[in-house]
Amino acid sequence: MFDAIELKKQFPIFSNHPDLIYLDNAATMQKPLCVLDAERFYYENHNANVHRGAHRLATAATDAYEGARHVVAQFINAPSHEEIIFTRGTTEAINLVANSWGNSLNTGDEIILSTLEHHANIVPWQMLAERRGVIIKIIKLDEHGAVDLAHFSSLLSNKTKLVAISHVSNAIGSIQPIQLICEAAHHAGAKVLVDGAQAVAHLNIDVQELGADFYAFSGHKVYGPTGIGALWVESNTLNSMSPWQGGGEMIAAVSFSGSTYAAAPYRFEAGTPAIAQAVGLSAALTWISALDRAALLNHEQQLRQQLEEGLIQMTGISIHGQSPDKAALTSMTFAGAHPYDVAQFLDHKGIAVRVGHHCAQPLLQSLGVSGTLRASFAAYNTSSDVDAFLVALHETLEILG
Ligand SMILES: Cc1ncc(COP(=O)(O)O)c(C=O)c1O
């Protein structure tokens, strides 16, 4: 049994807001005390800039920052910590790939995306397409909101250079069969970038088993701080990539006749990095690794099932995304009420949910809706959260309908 009630006590936000029912976890997760403590401890005991100083604090700060890189590598089973680049988050990680590796693409080369991508995994490729004449192709979804693998295969050709796809859809929860996608893409000679923003907190990530070339995620979506994330790049690909931002920390030598660059991953981390946030991320990953991940996944799935069973009992509710392989979130619309109005009512009852296009406008257009209300789960949610949501939703729809 997964004891969410006990675990919830580790999250100060719930002591400060005892009535809060937080179901906006896909947007950002709450932080356990150990993450907050780790950042505070770092600032109080080790604060210095990394990689440069000859004093003991600089050494301690560098050790803490580089230690975090090892923890990230271990968490996603990367072969080496030197394949981990710290970024501000998933968005910056994808932009890094588009602006570095992407420059090796030429007119007529093709990139495949899917209909359910977050804007972070669409817009950087559109910008690249404009710069380099690259063509973007889009995989359709089947009627359940899962990626249509037959259509994907039909798009692959020797012109395909990259498949960029989310592991888990933030808007409708579909989990993509990344292993199959990587095998097919590699067979066609293409690389695969996986947007893992919604996956890392829920699924066990093993980048070697998945077989991807790039894997990106954000710290704040896995119980860690904002402003930090990571990009894993397979080493051969990584070593072929040029830096995308210039400055301190990323160079080997600088003169006015030209500069040379540091080895990876450092040549991708220009300027002072988010040191305390990396320490916080390390604490978050260590924290979640100590949980029974299978039991956690099961717990979150049970909450989703409880929610969806409750929604089915009510009239006028459409659930968007019914992929057989689905993460712990539910997106819905209402026959007689606008999702924004429903969310406002729920907020008055202390229930936090997300409404809107979830930064996935093309997906919502394909579903024929302008916005949905999304409830998404994390380790600290309980079955009574779901009960409270269902009761509050019922009352809200009575008033609005
Ligand atoms: C699937 C997916 N990709 C990318 C992002 C962007 O993440 P960030 O804003 O942390 O860079 C998000 C955030 O919601 C997401 O859900």
Side-chain angles (χ1 to χ4, degrees):
M1 268 293 285
F2 187 83
D3 192 347
I5 296 171
E6 195 54 37
L7 181 133
K8 193 171 179 177
K9 294 179 187 158
Q10 298 181 40
F11 290 76
I13 194 109
F14 296 115
S15 318
N16 295 328
H17 300 273
D19 298 328
L20 173 65
I21 294 176
Y22 188 76
L23 299 176
D24 195 15
N25 294 290
T28 198
M29 285 185 169
Q30 301 302 340
K31 326 298 175 198
L33 187 59
C34 63
V35 169
L36 310 177
D37 281 348
E39 279 202 56
R40 190 178 182 92
F41 184 87
Y42 165 78
Y43 277 127
E44 287 181 350
N45 293 280
H46 296 150
N47 182 49
N49 212 328
V50 290
H51 299 145
R52 302 173 188 165
H55 55 83
R56 71 185 71 165
L57 286 186
T59 307
T62 304
D63 287 350
Y65 182 66
E66 289 306 322
R69 202 188 301 279
H70 280 84
V71 171
V72 171
Q74 204 175 11
F75 187 72
I76 58 172
N77 197 28
S80 164
H81 66 281
E82 291 176 337
E83 297 170 8
I84 304 295
I85 303 167
F86 281 120
T87 64
R88 280 196 298 125
T90 310
T91 304
E92 191 177 68
I94 297 173
N95 276 279
L96 187 160
V97 178
N99 284 280
S100 170
W101 179 85
N103 289 338
S104 65
L105 301 189
N106 294 306
T107 306
D109 285 345
E110 294 180 0
I111 293 178
I112 298 179
L113 311 177
S114 86
T115 305
L116 47 67
E117 297 314 311
H118 187 280
H119 297 165
N121 198 25
I122 299 174
V123 184
W125 307 118
Q126 290 176 328
M127 293 164 92
L128 175 67
E130 262 177 44
R131 281 201 314 276
R132 313 239 7 135
V134 170
I135 295 160
I136 294 176
K137 302 227 156 156
I138 308 297
I139 315 169
K140 289 192 294 208
L141 304 183
D142 66 17
E143 67 275 23
H144 306 297
V147 165
D148 182 335
L149 288 175
H151 186 237
F152 168 56
S153 298
S154 75
L155 296 179
L156 275 173
S157 75
N158 59 5
K159 290 189 193 150
T160 314
K161 299 296 173 226
L162 180 74
V163 178
I165 190 147
S166 54
H167 201 162
V168 173
S169 158
N170 66 309
I172 56 171
S174 321
I175 301 175
Q176 277 51 256
I178 297 298
Q179 256 176 312
L180 279 178
I181 289 171
C182 289
E183 277 165 28
H186 288 162
H187 194 66
K191 297 201 182 294
V192 180
L193 176 141
V194 182
D195 168 353
Q198 295 296 338
V200 279
H202 308 287
L203 310 177
N204 262 318
I205 308 302
D206 181 333
V207 290
Q208 298 186 61
E209 200 175 294
L210 290 173
D213 301 280
F214 307 93
Y215 198 97
F217 70 93
S218 304
H220 70 101
K221 292 187 196 285
V222 58
Y223 307 97
T226 51
I228 187 78
L231 170 69
W232 168 76
V233 188
E234 182 279 323
S235 63
N236 289 325
T237 308
L238 181 62
N239 290 328
S240 74
M241 286 165 53
S242 303
W244 74 305
Q245 290 180 334
E249 300 268 338
M250 53 74 72
I251 50 88
V254 175
S255 75
F256 282 117
S257 58
S259 302
T260 52
Y261 307 126
Y266 307 104
R267 69 169 173 272
F268 300 102
E269 295 179 2
T272 300
I275 308 164
Q277 290 85 341
V279 169
L281 173 60
S282 168
L285 299 183
T286 305
W287 176 82
I288 193 175
S289 299
L291 301 179
D292 178 342
R293 297 294 301 277
L296 168 58
L297 180 63
N298 189 40
H299 167 71
E300 293 174 340
Q301 288 292 349
Q302 276 178 0
L303 296 179
R304 178 176 69 79
Q305 268 161 27
Q306 183 192 344
L307 173 62
E308 293 186 0
E309 278 161 22
L311 293 175
I312 290 163
Q313 310 290 316
M314 296 159 74
T315 48
I317 299 182
S318 306
I319 298 175
H320 298 278
Q322 307 269 13
S323 171
D325 213 3
K326 182 173 167 182
L329 65 86
T330 301
S331 231
M332 65 198 89
T333 49
F334 313 98
H338 196 283
Y340 280 99
D341 298 332
V342 177
Q344 293 272 296
F345 270 76
L346 293 178
D347 182 44
H348 284 299
K349 294 171 188 289
I351 301 174
V353 292
R354 198 78 169 171
V355 277
H357 53 61
H358 314 296
C359 296
Q361 284 182 351
L363 169 62
L364 291 221
Q365 280 154 18
S366 83
L367 297 173
V369 292
S370 60
T372 71
L373 184 150
R374 180 187 70 193
S376 51
F377 296 105
Y380 38 70
N381 289 122
T382 61
S383 150
S384 60
D385 289 350
V386 179
D387 289 337
F389 175 88
L390 288 169
V391 169
L393 182 63
H394 184 74
E395 287 169 6
T396 302
L397 294 179
E398 294 264 286
I399 298 166
L400 293 176

